[in-house]
Amino acid sequence: MGYDATAYDDVEPRAPGMYFLRDALDCEALGVTVVEADEGWEGMEHDHAEDGQEEVYVLLHGEATLTVDGDPVELGPGDAVRVDADSSRDLAFSADGSKMVIAGAP
């Protein structure tokens, strides 16, 4: 078969509001995550220097701040940001009912 399909909310969340779809979609290199968050949700600062994975963050609904190498980037619905693999990133949401899609690959 040339494709795999799933609904993100059919996947067991790995953390509150975080749905990792890589395994469910049988992706070889691409990671896809859906985040549902309320105001005050904060991620963990990290980078992907070891695995070479750049990431794209797309905010679908709500408000968020993506801090990249210490530089805060304010996001509104429809905004997208690409982050280099070796850059640190930290995500926080500032509105209830926020939803974001994150995709990453080496």
Side-chain angles (χ1 to χ4, degrees), residues 24-37:
L25 293 172
D26 198 29
C27 296
E28 292 181 27
L30 178 66
V32 179
T33 302
V34 176
V35 181
E36 295 180 328

